[in-house]
Amino acid sequence: MKKRIDGSGLDESSILTDARKTIAPQIEDRSRRSFLMRGLTLGGVAMLSGCNLTDNESVETALSSMSRFNDRVQGWLFNPNALAPTYPESMITRPFPFNAFYSIDEAPTVEEDSYRLEVTGLVADKRSWRLEELRAMAQTEQITRHICVEGWSAIGRWGGVRFSDFLKRVGADTEAKYVGFKCADDYYTSIDMATALHSQTLLTLTYDGAVLPRQYGFPMKLRMPTKLGYKNPKHIQAIFVSNTYSGGYWEDQGYNWFGGS
Ligand SMILES: Nc1nc2c(c(=O)[nH]1)N[C@H]1C(S)=C(S)[C@@H](COP(=O)(O)O)O[C@H]1N2
Ligand SMILES: [Mo]
């Protein structure tokens, strides 16, 4: 039997289930996690979020404010020097899975000749970039694991420009809070500056030693082994540095914004 909250039409157990889902992935310590999960009450949700749970809208607001709270906590806890594991070539997943909010044949086709990467916001040099100019910068490679919240992970080999090198080159304000991305397929996301400057965060131009294929994000994607799959934008057309929160495609539908892996 589902317990109803008197007079409100709200279902207590489903609110608590959602609240647990919102906070559980962020608590690494197992015993602390189960303690918090068991102890979570509607009063606790109201207190943590500063919302009175009177209708569905207030529950939504409470849960999203808890998720934003997690983003802040994770931002503090995040160690910008911690490295994601790397793997030998023999462990690369072949073929590498495709994923997007559409099927593979609908992946956008971007023409290299007319392509220009737009760079805006808190940067000294706002000029656009051609692919050739990015290829002329120092390149690096990584074999890392991509983890998708839909329940799969795969190891791949990506190459390109360290994103921190690129940000320095365009004179980005590295004290700014966010770096945002707009993609050719209407996808968008944004990340915290500490992750943008992480040594494994790669402005990716190649996959497995060849030009990044269309389905994996041509002309360019941002690869971050310290973040879940949905935080890694493919087909990037514009990059902006900002102090204003701009969310993301899945993040605006309830996925956690920090999205660490
Ligand atoms: N532009 C764009 N980037 C995207 C997505 C998308 O739909 N469009 N999906 C994300 C998700 S959920 C995943 S798991 C990875 C999949 O990348 P892959 O096709 O290289 O495996 O891309 C991420 N970046
Ligand atoms: Mo994903």
Side-chain angles (χ1 to χ4, degrees), residues 96-101 146 148 152 183 185 187 216 229 232 234:
F96 194 85
F98 162 85
N99 197 28
F101 64 91
H146 171 117
C148 174
W152 58 271
C183 309
D185 57 359
Y187 201 77
Y216 301 138
N232 291 237
K234 305 193 285 188

Side-chain angles (χ1 to χ4, degrees), residues 81-134:
N81 299 314
L83 293 179
T86 59
Y87 302 87
E89 254 188 89
S90 60
M91 284 182 72
I92 294 174
T93 309
R94 299 180 195 281
F96 194 85
F98 162 85
N99 197 28
F101 64 91
Y102 43 74
S103 63
I104 192 163
D105 39 283
E106 289 167 277
T109 302
V110 178
E111 296 296 340
E112 171 158 355
D113 290 348
S114 53
Y115 175 76
R116 299 289 182 277
L117 172 69
E118 221 181 87
V119 183
T120 60
L122 303 171
V123 296
D125 184 357
K126 292 193 173 66
R127 110 195 130 77
S128 296
W129 287 68
R130 282 149 28 87
L131 223 42
E132 271 314 314
E133 299 172 279
L134 292 169

Side-chain angles (χ1 to χ4, degrees), residues 30-193:
R30 276 172 164 275
S31 58
R32 272 219 242 163
R33 183 168 59 204
S34 61
F35 174 75
L36 195 65
M37 296 298 102
R38 273 199 313 276
L40 196 65
T41 60
L42 286 177
V45 174
M47 201 189 71
L48 283 170
S49 63
C51 299
N52 284 319
L53 309 175
T54 52
D55 52 28
N56 280 318
E57 206 181 321
S58 66
V59 173
E60 286 293 313
T61 310
L63 292 175
S64 83
S65 90
M66 286 173 76
S67 177
R68 294 302 307 279
F69 171 76
N70 278 325
D71 287 336
R72 289 203 304 276
V73 172
Q74 289 184 76
W76 297 326
L77 292 178
F78 180 68
N79 171 0
N81 299 314
L83 293 179
T86 59
Y87 302 87
E89 254 188 89
S90 60
M91 284 182 72
I92 294 174
T93 309
R94 299 180 195 281
F96 194 85
F98 162 85
N99 197 28
F101 64 91
Y102 43 74
S103 63
I104 192 163
D105 39 283
E106 289 167 277
T109 302
V110 178
E111 296 296 340
E112 171 158 355
D113 290 348
S114 53
Y115 175 76
R116 299 289 182 277
L117 172 69
E118 221 181 87
V119 183
T120 60
L122 303 171
V123 296
D125 184 357
K126 292 193 173 66
R127 110 195 130 77
S128 296
W129 287 68
R130 282 149 28 87
L131 223 42
E132 271 314 314
E133 299 172 279
L134 292 169
R135 291 186 186 127
M137 286 184 71
Q139 307 286 304
T140 170
E141 258 200 1
Q142 60 172 263
I143 300 176
T144 52
R145 185 185 293 277
H146 171 117
I147 303 165
C148 174
V149 287
E150 286 173 43
W152 58 271
S153 83
I155 293 171
R157 175 177 166 221
W158 291 273
V161 177
R162 253 187 244 277
F163 196 44
S164 61
D165 288 352
F166 180 79
L167 289 174
K168 276 166 210 151
R169 179 78 167 264
V170 299
D173 174 5
T174 54
E175 301 288 307
K177 284 191 189 158
Y178 308 109
V179 182
F181 304 87
K182 290 185 205 152
C183 309
D185 57 359
D186 293 340
Y187 201 77
Y188 61 100
T189 190
S190 54
I191 60 170
D192 53 288
M193 184 59 78

Side-chain angles (χ1 to χ4, degrees), residues 3-44:
K3 197 162 136 202
R4 299 269 153 197
I5 299 172
D6 291 341
S8 67
L10 294 172
D11 170 5
E12 173 168 351
S13 65
S14 66
I15 295 171
L16 289 178
T17 303
D18 283 353
R20 289 190 185 101
K21 272 196 228 148
T22 308
I23 49 177
Q26 276 76 52
I27 307 162
E28 278 196 12
D29 184 312
R30 276 172 164 275
S31 58
R32 272 219 242 163
R33 183 168 59 204
S34 61
F35 174 75
L36 195 65
M37 296 298 102
R38 273 199 313 276
L40 196 65
T41 60
L42 286 177

